């Protein structure tokens, strides 16, 4: 692969479309308080969340992914993609991957299609994989989707997690372009620490412990998170990863126009922004209206910020994520000129790309 004198590849991935989808059913804190030992004040104070959207019983991850993908392709101006990457922790089935089905339903049969499993960091990993497909010349246009239906794996009676997680999907389209174009993806930082694999887990259902109801407990078959410890790790890892990617790019926080972190918890976002030295009004806060949507949270926040004109062409945008694994990752990009996009919760009649 050829490179510019500065060592940067002369063929880079450029973001050229964005779209998101939230299921119709919006659940407020009071609705949860009516069936769980919780209340609006606790949820707002500890998480900042006011609403989350939950998938209907017939809706699976691919349904949300297709809706978000279709919007991102429409926003990019063409329905074509050579590859589809879906980041998810809640695939439609444990086999096969969800991405080939999503590709087929979007009229992209024949495209390379695979899933990425990096829990709430999944979208940043998928973005890196999509960018790699482009810089290596394997693909010219890649649809990168983050989609999760956490309500399928969270125990609805688990008050800690039922109030935090929501369902949704977000997507971006990448195309081949040049490093000096608006939309160009810059440096990445990706990392993991598997010594803490049990901090965020669904213990049963894999090859280690099949989900046989007679040999596993109810708890083992549901999503579990050691919230307080995860919170502490999230602050450390997100701040460090954001600093690493800034250093790698020769930029400082003063160059960052918009910070779009994984929407885990408003307190985490605000603390990381403060620790980095970023003013609160530069930080995306979509979590208030969608909860923690896992791999979908960053592309949903990007779509929402774009719809609300908080992202403007030329803005330097910093993405930072953290999640189970443990995993973390960051990416820098400049925001491109894009057609207006519908906010993720806007449910107009869907049309084919
Ligand atoms: O997306 C991947 C990364 N995820 C994250 O980064 C999430 C990180 N963690 C968190 O966001 C927070 O830890 C939670 C929102 C999950 C929990 O908030 P917290 O402030 O850490 O609460 P806590 O676990 O320290 O619990 C405080 C108290 C406990 O009661 P006691 O022991 O003090 O009597 C909990 O039992 O709050 C109780 N509690 C609740 N009370 C009312 C836990 N959940 C609830 C609830 N409503 N829903």
């Amino acid at each position: 692969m050829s490179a510019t004198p500065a060592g940067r590849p002369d063929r880079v991935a450029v973001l050229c479309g964005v779209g998101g989808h939230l299921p119709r059913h919006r659940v407020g804190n009071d609705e949860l308080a009516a069936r769980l030992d919780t209340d609006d004040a606790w949820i707002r104070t500890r998480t900042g969340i006011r609403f989350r959207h939950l998938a209907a019983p017939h809706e699976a991850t691919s349904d949300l992914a297709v809706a978000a993908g279709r919007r991102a392709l429409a926003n990019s101006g063409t329905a074509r993609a050579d590859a589809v990457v879906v980041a998810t922790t809640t695939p439609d089935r444990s086999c096969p991957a969800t991405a080939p089905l999503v590709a087929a339903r979007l009229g992209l049969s024949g495209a390379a299609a695979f899933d990425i499993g990096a829990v709430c960091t999944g979208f940043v990993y998928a973005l890196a994989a999509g960018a790699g497909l482009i810089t290596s010349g394997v693909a010219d246009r890649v649809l990168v989707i983050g989609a999760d239906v956490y309500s399928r794996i969270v125990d609805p009676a688990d008050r800690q997690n039922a109030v935090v997680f929501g369902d949704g999907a977000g997507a971006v389209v990448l195309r081949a372009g040049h490093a000096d174009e608006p939309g160009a993806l810059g440096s990445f930082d990706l990392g993991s620490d598997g010594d803490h694999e049990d901090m965020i887990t669904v213990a049963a259902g894999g090859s280690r412990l099949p989900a046989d109801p007679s040999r596993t407990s109810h708890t083992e078959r549901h999503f579990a998170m050691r919230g307080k410890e995860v919170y502490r790790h999230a602050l450390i890892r997100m701040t460090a990863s954001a600093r690493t990617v800034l250093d790698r790019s020769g930029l400082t926080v003063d160059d960052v126009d918009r910070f779009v972190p994984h929407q885990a918890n408003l307190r985490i976002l605000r603390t990381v922004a403060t620790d980095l030295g970023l003013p609160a009004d530069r930080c995306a806060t979509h979590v208030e209206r969608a909860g923690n949507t896992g791999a979908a949270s960053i592309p949903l926040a990007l779509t929402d910020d774009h719809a609300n004109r908080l992202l403007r062409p030329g803005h330097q945008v910093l993405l930072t994520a953290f999640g189970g694994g443990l995993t973390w990752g960051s990416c820098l990009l400049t925001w491109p000129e894009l057609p207006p996009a519908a906010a993720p919760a806007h449910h107009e009649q869907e049309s084919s790309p």
Side-chain angles (χ1 to χ4, degrees):
M1 184 172 52
S2 56
T4 60
R8 301 206 43 195
D10 58 11
R11 177 184 160 101
V12 306
V14 173
L15 191 150
C16 62
V18 68
H21 175 79
L22 289 166
R24 250 170 220 284
H25 183 42
R26 192 177 80 160
V27 178
N29 294 341
D30 287 339
E31 192 176 326
L32 290 178
R35 63 172 178 82
L36 289 169
D37 180 16
T38 190
D39 56 70
D40 178 55
W42 191 96
I43 301 171
R44 280 195 198 221
T45 315
R46 302 286 181 137
T47 72
I49 298 166
R50 293 184 288 131
F51 308 105
R52 73 286 296 142
H53 291 244
L54 300 185
H58 67 272
E59 279 180 311
T61 293
S62 66
D63 299 315
L64 309 190
V66 165
R70 182 172 287 140
R71 287 179 172 187
L73 288 167
N75 189 243
S76 79
T78 155
R80 195 172 58 78
D82 315 307
V84 177
V85 187
V86 175
T88 186
T89 304
T90 58
D92 282 23
R93 302 175 182 176
S94 56
C95 175
T98 301
L101 172 64
V102 171
R105 287 180 57 194
L106 288 169
L108 300 170
S109 277
F114 59 95
D115 289 3
I116 293 268
V119 197
C120 295
T121 316
F123 179 75
V124 176
Y125 270 70
L127 206 56
L133 291 173
I134 287 175
T135 55
S136 60
V138 171
D140 290 328
R141 284 175 64 87
V142 183
L143 176 62
V144 179
I145 304 175
D148 269 315
V149 181
Y150 266 91
S151 62
R152 285 295 131 74
I153 57 172
V154 167
D155 177 359
D158 169 359
R159 69 173 178 171
Q160 180 200 257
N161 293 315
V163 304
V164 169
F165 287 92
D167 303 332
V172 302
V173 181
L174 304 178
R175 64 163 172 83
H178 299 285
D180 52 4
E181 285 186 67
L185 302 192
S187 303
F188 277 89
D189 171 59
L190 302 176
S192 75
D193 179 359
D195 286 340
H196 297 298
E197 53 112 22
D198 59 347
M199 217 174 260
I200 296 175
T201 187
V202 181
S207 60
R208 174 75 59 202
L209 182 63
D212 175 351
S214 67
R215 303 178 73 172
T216 55
S217 68
H218 179 81
T219 305
E220 285 171 325
R221 292 192 299 275
H222 287 90
F223 179 88
M225 175 171 76
R226 300 214 297 270
K228 247 193 161 33
E229 288 169 75
V230 171
Y231 190 104
R232 196 168 52 80
H233 281 268
L235 294 184
I236 295 166
R237 295 301 189 182
M238 289 174 82
T239 309
S241 180
R243 287 202 176 114
T244 299
V245 86
L246 284 168
D247 286 351
R248 237 167 238 173
S249 312
L251 300 176
T252 73
V253 285
D254 295 335
D255 299 308
V256 176
D257 300 294
R258 197 76 186 149
F259 179 44
V260 185
H262 165 51
Q263 304 285 299
N265 175 331
L266 192 63
R267 282 158 63 213
I268 294 179
L269 314 188
R270 291 256 156 90
T271 307
V272 171
T274 303
D275 289 353
L276 288 171
L278 278 162
D281 64 1
R282 280 193 218 160
C283 179
T285 57
H286 191 235
V287 64
E288 295 170 301
R289 285 165 288 130
N292 180 342
T293 53
S297 88
I298 287 180
L300 276 170
L302 287 173
T303 306
D304 194 61
D305 274 4
H306 175 60
N308 292 312
R309 299 175 62 77
L310 293 164
L311 280 166
R312 310 303 294 262
H315 269 177
Q316 192 66 242
V317 185
L318 170 61
L319 314 179
T320 298
F322 173 83
L326 300 173
T327 52
W328 56 87
S330 295
C331 172
L332 275 161
L333 69 144
T334 50
W335 196 249
E337 180 92 49
L338 294 178
H346 182 77
H347 295 101
E348 89 280 23
Q349 192 66 39
E350 297 287 347
S351 56
S352 295

